[in-house]
Amino acid sequence: MGKIQLTKVRKAFGEVDVIPGIDLTIEDGEFVVFVGPSGCGKSTLLRLIAGLEDTTSGTIEIDGKDATNLPPAKRGLAMVFQSYALYPHMTVRKNIAFPLKMAGMDRAEQDRRVERAAKVLNLTNYLDRRPGQLSGGQRQRVAIGRAIVREPAAFLFDEPLSNLDAALRVGMRQEISELHQSLKTTMIYVTHDQVEAMTMADKIVVLNAGRIEQVGAPLELYNHPRNLFVAGFIGSPKMNFIEGAEAAKHDAHTIGIRPEHIAVGDGPWEGVVGLSEHLGSDSFLKVAVEGIGTLTVRAPGEVAARHGDRIRLAPAGKIHRFDTNGLAI
Amino acid sequence: MARALSPRRQLVTTLAAWTVALLIFFPVLWMILTSFKTEASAVAMPPQFLSADWTLENYAEVWARSDYPRFFWNSVVIAVGSTLLGLLVAIPSAWAMAFVPGQRTRDLLMWMLSTKMMPAVAVMVPLYLIFQRLGLLDSRIGLVIVLMLMNLPIIVWMLYTYFKEIPGEILEAARMDGASLWNEIVHVLTPMALPGIASTMLLNIILAWNEAFWTIVLTTTKAAPLSAFIASFSAPQGLFYAKLSAASAMAILPILILGWFSQKQLVRGLTFGAVK
Amino acid sequence: MSTQSSRFAARLMVAPSVALLLIWMIVPLAMTLYYSFRLYRLLSPDRTGWVGFNNYLWFFNSPDFWLALFNTLALVGGVLVITVTLGILIALLIDQPVKGQGFLRILVIAPFFVMPPVAASIWENLFMHPQNGLFSAVARGFGAQPILFLEQYPMWSVIGIVSWEWLPFATLILLTALQSLSSEQLEAAEMDGAGAFARFRYIILPHLTRAITVVILIQTIFLLGIFGEIFTTTQGGPGSASTTLPYMIFKQAIAAKDIGRAAAGGIIAVILANIVAYFLMRGLGRNLNS
């Protein structure tokens, strides 16, 4: 079981309200991702749930029980840290067994669980090595192993992939997703990378300046962003925002259109191509359109527009409309 | 920043470095050489670098004239005892300062260090009287306490700098894994900081071994360590050079050998963890 | 970055060392302060009473006091200048790729293991002695008069001996710091056209700032209380030429058996130490923070 309920959770460091007040329900078995720019309070929120920080006010319930003032060890949660936080003086086996040893479990059961976790994570051959002798990906797996042997109510991940190189990151992303499929345990995952959020989450919580901007399934956020912040944060490349006369035509203060929703060819907008990046599968073009500004366009790979070319563009997808307060209409 | 030098320059720098090092070491070497000479060749003019008649006589005589093993044992007990006791008090404090720093942690450390600036002589009389009253004069336990207090600020500071190198996330991980504060310190922090703790221990054993004010003021016979032993040799001027050298060698060789064997940890310790 | 319970635990764990040091500092200090206003002579134990500031005035009116004050500061300053300067030079030399670097370090570190009374007696008897010392033998070998180190230059001799004791400490700290300097920085400076001196002045010296700070801080703490070396060699003489403040207090307590005056001297020494500490922490605290 792993249902976590936050009610009016507030955190202040001295005079500064890092988190002014958050209400959030995380259902049992959900994969929830906290995403937002650095300094948005997502890591602090995770640490509040973990019990590594005190909440200033509000309550945290885990499986219906008030856990607000419980020490970390008593909450039944496991955490994977950004730096993995492995114990360098212990072997992999001892690292994974450490929480079991602290819980006073008997040796035979400890060994059984460690072996099982090692098998799942492909670490069987490394059990007697020390963390210093492992690669980044292997260390990551040990950290996960240490978390899963406890059979916690929920897993907390604090930017676990940010120390890995790009190729490894994709692999680990899939492994964590598969782990969630097989364990079906609640996972809370913090990242600043919206791609990780989109690919892994059942539910994304977008945070900004300690506030929740929107909660929803990945595609819901993509298709129906509630405000300018979410619209700009989710999706890559970033959504184009247009103000002024063009927006007024759509009865809005600001309109947004995603780069992949603009077609090259015949259309109402004409502009000069600036920077163009050809990736093969796609081409990203920066087009300076008169009276509108620079638009980013995601065109098919075969479009051969180059610096200085004049091209015409047409909207070919949803146009998002926002009012003066930045809220979606 | 080692870079390849031309063979000629390398020869010159090697020679220069060795000359300087030997000059620094020379007084110790000369003392050791003198300790093996007869009294006559010890003061011969011109000086004899290597004596023609080697002798262990001086050591034998110093050994016979004083109870060296007792002084030696007192030194060991006082140096090791005060260091261990200091570590026991300092480890929790350093943990707190390194991992739960407050706004005044820095000031607290500086204050601790500043207590060491108080000249020992200034409080000699009161401390003597206190020790008299408590019956601690000429007792090993009394010296262990004094030297522990003297070196406590240094122990705390060194441990603090070593502990700060350990990422806080690892201790948080231990907390998440269900470790109590005690387990966190015993199973995670202490083993990880072991090299630093060893350096701290070594340096403080040496500082305590070489302390030569309180060990002389507060002892007479029973608890007197080697610093008092050597003081008793240099006080009456009747002693000759070779025997004085032998006694000196006997006072410093144990710690010199310990220091040389643990040189690597010691150099780390010497920098008080503040220089990387 | 912590919870209330861990902050509470932290306070609890700092408490023992703070309490111990407070007692260690305050109790003897309070007693010294008390005696410093009392008439208390071991030779005439019947006559006691309050004497106001008389004990202090005795110090301030004694010409020896100002000399002792000067000597104390000269000892600290002199040893610091010598050890830091020589330490930098020797560290630069040893840091070069020389053969047998490990053994060199063993030789250089040796004086640090020598306890002060032994160090002082080696220098006094085996080197500086006017008849049998090695220095006088060398002087006579050149046909010169032996220098009477401890008689003619007592303060310089003491500074020399103490510098020898502390040189390894300074050298090894500076060497460690030097070895952490990336060669890329030096190579970049060389590519930028910096000569050897410019590299030292603009790259190496700034890199050493922190190490030099540590050397000055730690050494000052120990140097302010230097006692054994003077006791063993010059006994503060000839006359009062090499008497420092600690030694002057010692003379009042042990030779004159005037506990009141010694206590007043102790309080003055504590005030001096605090003044030095204040300037030291203010001047150097910044370097340590980074």
Side-chain angles (χ1 to χ4, degrees):
Chain A
M1 286 294 283
K3 180 180 172 178
I4 298 171
Q5 178 128 29
L6 309 183
T7 315
K8 295 200 173 60
V9 169
R10 189 178 140 239
K11 175 68 185 175
F13 286 118
E15 302 277 289
V16 189
D17 267 7
V18 184
I19 293 172
I22 274 184
D23 293 289
L24 181 67
T25 306
I26 294 160
E27 298 295 341
D28 182 32
E30 253 184 340
F31 196 122
V32 177
V33 174
F34 294 171
V35 71
S38 62
C40 70
K42 55 191 189 298
S43 278
T44 306
L45 189 58
L46 191 75
R47 292 168 61 85
L48 288 175
I49 296 171
L52 293 170
E53 305 274 355
D54 285 329
T55 45
T56 308
S57 64
T59 55
I60 297 172
E61 277 175 35
I62 299 173
D63 286 332
K65 275 181 293 222
D66 185 359
T68 316
N69 293 313
L70 282 183
K74 298 271 163 64
R75 299 190 180 198
L77 308 175
M79 185 152 169
V80 175
F81 290 85
Q82 185 171 5
S83 64
Y84 320 137
L86 301 180
Y87 311 121
H89 56 290
M90 300 182 195
T91 58
V92 169
R93 184 189 303 277
K94 290 215 170 117
N95 259 286
I96 297 177
F98 188 72
L100 306 178
K101 184 176 160 193
M102 289 297 109
M105 190 176 282
D106 71 85
R107 284 298 299 265
E109 178 64 17
Q110 281 186 30
D111 286 345
R112 206 163 343 160
R113 289 216 197 178
V114 170
E115 298 287 347
R116 191 161 15 124
K119 209 163 179 182
V120 174
L121 294 163
N122 281 325
L123 285 169
T124 308
N125 294 330
Y126 303 100
L127 279 176
D128 294 313
R129 297 211 192 164
R130 289 187 185 229
Q133 299 163 298
L134 302 179
S135 69
Q138 289 165 338
R139 282 182 213 184
Q140 178 71 77
R141 277 202 278 269
V142 177
I144 294 173
R146 197 171 62 184
I148 61 176
V149 283
R150 292 180 56 195
E151 299 177 355
F155 292 97
L156 312 179
F157 292 91
D158 188 5
E159 307 228 14
L161 305 184
S162 54
N163 284 340
L164 298 177
D165 64 47
L168 215 48
R169 209 176 303 169
V170 175
M172 279 313 292
R173 208 161 76 194
Q174 286 160 0
E175 277 188 49
I176 293 175
S177 292
E178 272 163 28
L179 198 67
H180 180 241
Q181 292 301 327
S182 61
L183 294 176
K184 305 217 182 318
T185 308
T186 311
M187 291 190 176
I188 306 177
Y189 187 107
V190 162
T191 181
H192 61 269
D193 181 354
Q194 60 96 20
V195 177
E196 273 176 30
M198 293 295 284
T199 49
M200 301 170 86
D202 293 327
K203 182 157 97 184
I204 296 179
V205 178
V206 182
L207 288 155
N208 182 30
R211 282 168 217 283
I212 294 181
E213 296 284 349
Q214 190 171 2
V215 180
L219 285 180
E220 194 185 325
L221 299 193
Y222 179 83
N223 291 326
H224 306 287
R226 220 181 60 176
N227 55 30
L228 279 175
F229 180 82
V230 177
F233 194 79
I234 300 290
S236 173
K238 217 168 139 328
M239 183 187 281
N240 297 296
F241 292 120
I242 305 165
E243 292 181 4
E246 191 64 30
K249 278 189 216 162
H250 295 269
D251 240 358
H253 180 263
T254 311
I255 55 167
I257 184 158
R258 296 195 182 276
E260 52 270 39
H261 295 155
I262 300 176
V264 179
D266 228 15
W269 300 328
E270 186 182 354
V272 180
V273 177
L275 192 69
S276 60
E277 295 173 323
H278 299 279
L279 303 183
S281 58
D282 299 297
S283 297
F284 296 130
L285 311 175
K286 296 263 185 208
V287 185
V289 180
E290 286 145 45
I292 289 178
T294 303
L295 294 180
T296 307
V297 178
R298 177 177 181 171
E302 60 268 20
V303 172
R306 285 206 273 161
H307 193 276
D309 289 354
R310 281 193 91 77
I311 56 172
R312 298 190 74 83
L313 302 170
K318 183 172 176 178
I319 292 176
H320 302 264
R321 295 156 60 234
F322 303 94
D323 65 16
T324 44
N325 295 323
L327 292 175
I329 303 171
Chain B
M1 50 172 275
R3 302 180 55 198
L5 297 178
S6 67
R8 228 182 92 98
R9 264 200 67 188
Q10 186 167 5
L11 187 70
V12 173
T13 40
T14 300
L15 277 178
W18 275 90
T19 310
V20 168
L22 282 171
L23 273 178
I24 293 175
F25 181 65
F26 186 75
V28 178
L29 179 69
W30 188 246
M31 179 203 80
I32 293 171
L33 288 175
T34 306
S35 73
F36 291 110
K37 295 174 186 169
T38 61
E39 290 299 350
S41 49
V43 294
M45 279 297 156
Q48 299 175 337
F49 189 70
L50 294 171
S51 168
D53 36 5
W54 291 93
T55 174
L56 287 171
E57 187 91 352
N58 303 308
Y59 287 93
E61 195 162 320
V62 170
W63 185 276
R65 270 176 49 171
S66 67
D67 191 358
Y68 177 80
R70 195 191 68 224
F71 288 109
F72 173 80
W73 183 241
N74 283 337
S75 270
V76 171
V77 170
I78 293 164
V80 176
S82 67
T83 303
L84 290 181
L85 197 62
L87 282 174
L88 205 66
V89 178
I91 287 180
S93 300
W95 170 86
M97 289 184 187
F99 297 111
V100 196
Q103 285 145 343
R104 275 165 300 166
T105 299
R106 188 103 228 157
D107 297 337
L108 196 62
L109 267 174
M110 283 297 172
W111 170 73
M112 285 187 171
L113 222 48
S114 75
T115 63
K116 274 197 72 68
M117 290 208 175
M118 187 166 66
V121 177
V123 293
M124 174 178 68
V125 174
L127 205 72
Y128 188 89
L129 295 175
I130 294 172
F131 264 53
Q132 203 168 37
R133 182 67 60 83
L134 296 177
L136 288 174
L137 280 181
D138 202 19
S139 73
R140 289 194 295 231
I141 183 74
L143 277 184
V144 164
I145 292 171
V146 167
L147 294 193
M148 184 273 272
L149 288 169
M150 259 187 70
N151 288 334
L152 188 59
I154 297 235
I155 300 182
V156 172
W157 195 27
M158 286 179 69
L159 289 177
Y160 167 77
T161 49
Y162 289 126
F163 285 179
K164 268 186 65 142
E165 285 174 28
I166 294 170
E169 274 198 349
I170 290 190
L171 298 188
E172 289 181 346
R175 234 168 286 166
M176 291 299 294
D177 283 345
S180 62
L181 192 57
W182 171 254
N183 282 329
E184 181 183 321
I185 290 182
V186 171
H187 288 294
V188 181
L189 177 65
T190 305
M192 281 187 71
L194 215 51
I197 292 174
S199 298
T200 310
M201 216 171 110
L202 270 168
L203 185 68
N204 279 281
I205 286 176
I206 289 167
L207 287 177
W209 185 281
N210 288 344
E211 206 286 327
F213 181 76
W214 293 118
T215 48
I216 294 170
V217 169
L218 297 177
T219 63
T220 43
T221 49
K222 253 182 28 238
L226 286 169
S227 52
F229 157 86
I230 198 69
S232 76
F233 265 98
S234 49
Q237 279 294 319
L239 198 78
F240 293 113
Y241 281 15
K243 273 174 216 76
L244 178 67
S245 298
S248 299
M250 288 163 80
I252 66 165
L253 275 180
I255 210 72
L256 193 67
I257 290 165
L258 174 76
W260 276 346
F261 270 111
S262 56
Q263 209 227 133
K264 269 227 172 69
Q265 286 81 355
L266 193 73
V267 170
R268 211 177 113 90
L270 262 181
T271 65
F272 291 85
V275 176
K276 271 148 232 150
Chain C
M1 299 294 275
S2 51
T3 62
Q4 221 150 38
S5 63
S6 67
R7 274 193 298 278
F8 178 73
R11 260 186 225 127
L12 213 63
M13 291 168 93
V14 178
S17 45
V18 171
L20 282 174
L21 284 174
L22 261 179
I23 296 170
W24 167 241
M25 194 179 76
I26 285 176
V27 174
L29 201 62
M31 285 173 78
T32 308
L33 199 64
Y34 170 78
Y35 289 132
S36 74
F37 293 109
R38 302 279 297 181
L39 180 69
Y40 184 6
R41 293 186 184 142
L42 294 179
L43 294 177
S44 48
D46 311 330
R47 291 170 46 215
T48 55
W50 296 96
V51 291
F53 281 93
N54 278 0
N55 290 325
Y56 290 91
L57 289 175
W58 180 84
F59 265 92
F60 292 127
N61 290 328
S62 159
D64 281 2
F65 169 71
W66 300 103
L67 180 64
L69 201 62
F70 172 79
N71 281 342
T72 308
L73 296 176
L75 179 64
V76 174
V79 174
L80 282 180
V81 169
I82 292 173
T83 52
V84 170
T85 314
L86 283 182
I88 291 175
L89 292 177
I90 296 171
L92 283 173
L93 187 63
I94 299 184
D95 190 38
Q96 307 287 318
V98 293
K99 295 226 165 66
Q101 206 180 35
F103 195 70
L104 275 183
R105 275 220 303 229
I106 284 184
L107 294 184
V108 170
I109 203 176
F112 189 75
F113 302 132
V114 180
M115 57 177 73
V118 171
S121 104
I122 295 177
W123 282 96
E124 183 193 10
N125 294 305
L126 301 185
F127 287 89
M128 293 176 173
H129 196 277
Q131 275 93 48
N132 307 323
L134 203 56
F135 288 157
S136 79
V138 172
R140 262 177 263 162
F142 284 105
Q145 271 301 314
I147 302 166
L148 302 172
F149 286 96
L150 295 172
E151 286 77 24
Q152 285 174 336
Y153 309 103
M155 215 46 225
W156 282 111
S157 303
V158 171
I159 291 176
I161 294 171
V162 177
S163 295
W164 177 74
E165 290 179 274
W166 283 96
L167 187 57
F169 174 76
T171 305
L172 287 170
I173 289 195
L174 293 166
L175 181 64
T176 310
L178 212 52
Q179 283 168 342
S180 73
L181 178 60
S182 81
S183 57
E184 282 187 11
Q185 253 191 62
L186 285 175
E187 282 163 359
E190 215 174 334
M191 295 297 288
D192 288 341
F197 181 75
R199 286 203 296 276
F200 175 75
R201 168 74 186 77
Y202 294 105
I203 310 286
I204 296 176
L205 207 55
H207 181 78
L208 292 181
T209 315
R210 198 176 151 83
I212 293 172
T213 306
V214 172
V215 171
I216 292 176
L217 196 66
I218 299 292
Q219 285 199 16
T220 306
I221 288 170
F222 283 91
L223 293 177
L224 274 173
I226 286 283
F227 170 79
E229 289 83 344
I230 297 175
F231 178 71
T232 311
T233 55
T234 65
Q235 306 259 319
S240 304
S242 61
T243 297
T244 58
L245 199 49
Y247 201 81
M248 190 174 177
I249 297 165
F250 176 78
K251 275 202 290 196
Q252 282 308 309
I254 299 301
K257 304 213 184 306
D258 191 329
I259 306 303
R261 278 186 198 161
I267 295 297
I268 295 171
V270 169
I271 292 170
L272 175 74
N274 274 294
I275 293 172
V276 173
Y278 174 76
F279 283 108
L280 212 61
M281 302 292 176
R282 246 183 61 145
L284 300 178
R286 219 168 344 112
N287 291 340
L288 279 177
N289 275 331
S290 52

